[in-house]
Amino acid sequence: MRNLATPQQPEEIPFVDLVALVQTHHNPKPSVIVQRFKLNCHSHKTDVGKIDLNCEKNNTAHNTNDISVNRLIVRRGQSFLVTFDFHGSFRSTTDLLELTVETGPQPSEALGTRSVFGLPEGRWKRSSWKVKVHQGSGLPAGSITLDITSPADAPVGEYSLSVKTSATTSVGSSLGKLLLLFNPWCQEDSVHLPEEEERQEYVMREQGLVYKGSDKYISSMAWNFGQFEDDIVDICLKLLDVNPKCLSDPAKDFSARCNPIYVSRVVSAMINANDDGGVLMGRWDGQYDGGMSPTHWNGSVEVLRRWLKYGGNPVKYGQCWVFAAVMCTVLRCLGIPCRVVTNFQSAHDTDKNLTIDDFFSDYGVRPKQSPDSVWNYHVWVEAWMTRPDLSAGSLYDGWQAVDPTPQEKSTGVYCCGPAPVKAILQGHVDLKYDVPFVFAEVNADRVTWMVFTDGSKKKIFTDSVSVGQNISTKAVGSDKRVDITANYKHAEGTEKERDVYNQAVKRVNISEENSNGIHDDKPGVSMKIVELTKPVSGKDIDLKLVLNSNDNETRTLVINVNVQAMRYNGIPSSQIQTELKEQKLLPNQDLTIPIHIPFSVYGEKMRESNSIKVSAVVTDKDKSGAVYITEKDFVPESPSLTIKAIGSELQYSDMTAEVVFENPLSEGLRDCFITVTGSGLLTETMEARMPFLKQGQRLRVKIPFTPYRPGPKKLVAGFNCDQFRDIKASCNVYIKPITSVVPPLP
């Protein structure tokens, strides 16, 4: 992360300008890793003559030129060109040309990690890799261009390529390395995605949106996936190489990399660090000493680079959206179509009974008596692939839920999925992998209990509706939110939804008597919490509790209104305020209780919390102590942060990112700093600091940059200070390519 120059704060004006005095780079310097492979991309001499791997041409045809044009990176099931300039003449119909590709330790043809093939074509009929003379090859005598094609189910990874001819010894001459990736453009590949617009979104798009908040307060944050940054593909392959299955049996692991089911499961386990040398350490208690708060991260690139830089030690810290977004980067980089998905009111069912128990006392949500919980939101990914392991047809093909957040173990390892979304929809919870867990996340029933001072508890009601709301992902080709709840479950309140739920209960061998989703009788007192002003962080919040009774009796009610700061995983972090009062509720009339929550009371307690939970526990003194409960979660909107791009949106042209933040408080803000990142735009995260920002004062930061990769991009900014944590903003930038100007190599 680069620190930017910070001039003195002007005293006489309310607008503070920070201009970043950094040089722009017309030629972003490639990493050392990439430089090792530059020889691959130019004609170089071997024992058989000069070889040209046509890297730029091949990579462009294989949609990998955004990763590099300086090394050969191709996709399986699709041909690529290699040109040979022999010392003498070569006749393709009679002369021998033997090519060998190998990946991993102890490569073998039986495991699919080695193939020997060549010319004449008829001699190599059993080879899995194929070669033929390129139809357009019209080079002089002694030169030939070949079309080489890997099988559409070849293991992905790094291969060595060697050649020998009838004129050479038994030892082949090395042609260098090539990287082989999954191919969503190839119909025979198990990750084939038919629509080009979707391939552009779910494989090629380097930026996206992650949805957060709560089901009634949905917000988005921009995320920089950065899968085409020049060292990310090597980090992704390193991730596969150090997974425990590879360390235990590397030959078998390299062979299994032909299967996206296997690869996605391995990546799910390796993104978290719970039982291996994974990328991210999770933490949910608000204590982030020795690392970064999960809300700090704007993208995956910095996380993955830190993991590699520090020798595979886990990066501190992540939570669900960070785990999911980093996994999305890895899968897109490897060629598996992937999208980030957010489930609001997401259940965490630890005992696999498809039911979540919530416990209340008269002071609000209690610490859990069971590890079950309902998160404000939970984020996972969907990966696109076929599932021939589950059905001879295509019954379960398509999107698969895969979750790298370490919640529960799957076959002894902290990973989850791939779980077919189609199986979740139909309640087919007896299928692999981890379908019951994901089904519960979107469709568990929720039972609310009242816990009394003597430790006894009473069931208040059963809710079969609220879990699994507004399941969201980014739209193809735009920043709109798409609701995909109908992919996961039938509409709540319908007979079909209950039939599927009950079928799922049977399949996991649970008695329907305790898990049938039946609601309790209608309560004698109805309650709701209504917002009077839009909750905005930095301002007081005003709400009201409205109670109503539709019978003919006057009721004496003991009303306890509780306000708690909540972590997004449903755990209270601190008590904000509580109010206890006794009121008469008259027949057929509303009773309104105002609720005022000053920022001076809640602000400090929200720094490491996601939302505010307001709950009302009402005891009816005239009805033998009948208890009524209502609750509502509020996510205060962050103060405004804006970012825009200034200048000609042209590759290798000078541009400026301008970020503006205004202090909304009646007091100064300390330790302010702004970060800006964006793959294809900035080669690293930039940072500017301001020790103190007066009340009502605006801070403006200008950061010069030079876009180095064309296409749709996104600038992402973050703001932090002593009062506010990780306010985010983003803007879209479409960089037009320069085809006539090629920057010189550094």
Side-chain angles (χ1 to χ4, degrees), residues 197-373:
E197 285 187 355
E198 293 188 344
R199 292 192 291 260
Q200 290 299 317
E201 181 69 45
Y202 300 134
V203 181
M204 303 299 292
R205 187 83 66 190
E206 284 193 275
Q207 290 87 13
L209 298 175
V210 179
Y211 293 98
K212 301 171 66 177
S214 70
D215 60 322
K216 298 295 191 297
Y217 297 87
I218 298 175
S219 62
S220 65
M221 65 171 288
W223 191 269
N224 180 40
F225 295 116
Q227 68 268 30
F228 299 139
E229 291 300 313
D230 55 28
D231 52 351
I232 294 301
V233 68
D234 297 284
I235 297 174
C236 293
L237 294 176
K238 176 73 172 179
L239 193 69
L240 298 181
D241 290 346
V242 299
N243 91 81
K245 292 183 179 182
C246 185
L247 298 178
S248 173
D249 190 342
K252 183 178 179 181
D253 174 84
F254 271 78
S255 175
R257 295 181 191 180
C258 65
N259 188 348
I261 302 169
Y262 177 84
V263 171
S264 65
R265 195 157 170 80
V266 166
V267 173
S268 171
M270 287 300 297
I271 295 299
N272 71 72
N274 279 43
D275 40 26
D276 46 44
V279 174
L280 275 160
M281 181 179 294
R283 192 149 194 174
W284 285 266
D285 61 2
Q287 304 299 314
Y288 305 120
D289 295 340
M292 297 288 190
S293 165
T295 56
H296 163 81
W297 309 110
N298 292 328
S300 307
V301 174
E302 185 179 358
V303 174
L304 290 167
R305 284 176 175 168
R306 284 193 183 204
W307 175 75
L308 182 68
K309 179 180 179 180
Y310 295 108
N313 288 311
V315 177
K316 300 175 181 179
Y317 293 98
Q319 291 176 1
C320 69
W321 71 92
V322 188
F323 288 110
V326 173
M327 182 168 185
C328 186
T329 294
V330 175
L331 293 188
R332 287 186 183 183
C333 183
L334 295 175
I336 299 176
C338 186
R339 63 187 186 183
V340 177
V341 170
T342 302
N343 177 40
F344 293 95
Q345 293 294 100
S346 187
H348 180 181
D349 179 23
T350 59
D351 50 13
K352 300 179 182 178
N353 67 350
L354 308 186
T355 300
I356 304 298
D357 294 309
D358 286 333
F359 297 95
F360 279 78
S361 70
D362 57 1
Y363 57 83
V365 179
R366 286 175 55 89
K368 297 294 178 181
Q369 292 192 356
S370 86
D372 285 359
S373 58

Side-chain angles (χ1 to χ4, degrees), residues 126 143 297 343 348 394 464 482 505 559 623 647 691 697 706 716:
R126 294 187 177 182
S143 295
W297 309 110
N343 177 40
H348 180 181
S394 58
S464 64
V482 177
V505 167
I559 304 167
K623 290 289 184 180
Q697 199 167 39
T706 304
V716 183

Side-chain angles (χ1 to χ4, degrees), residues 577-606:
Q577 67 184 39
T578 185
E579 182 179 7
L580 179 66
K581 59 176 60 180
E582 185 173 305
Q583 294 274 350
K584 296 286 187 181
L585 177 60
L586 301 179
N588 300 309
Q589 292 188 25
D590 286 349
L591 172 63
T592 300
I593 308 294
I595 304 171
H596 180 70
I597 313 170
F599 176 74
S600 59
V601 175
Y602 77 81
E604 184 177 352
K605 297 181 179 181
M606 289 297 295

Side-chain angles (χ1 to χ4, degrees), residues 458 619-627:
K458 177 183 178 181
T619 304
D620 191 337
K621 295 179 69 175
D622 300 318
K623 290 289 184 180
S624 302
V627 178

Side-chain angles (χ1 to χ4, degrees), residues 152-170:
D153 61 352
V156 299
E158 184 180 75
Y159 284 76
S160 63
L161 177 62
S162 60
V163 62
K164 67 177 182 177
T165 70
S166 52
T168 65
T169 65
S170 59

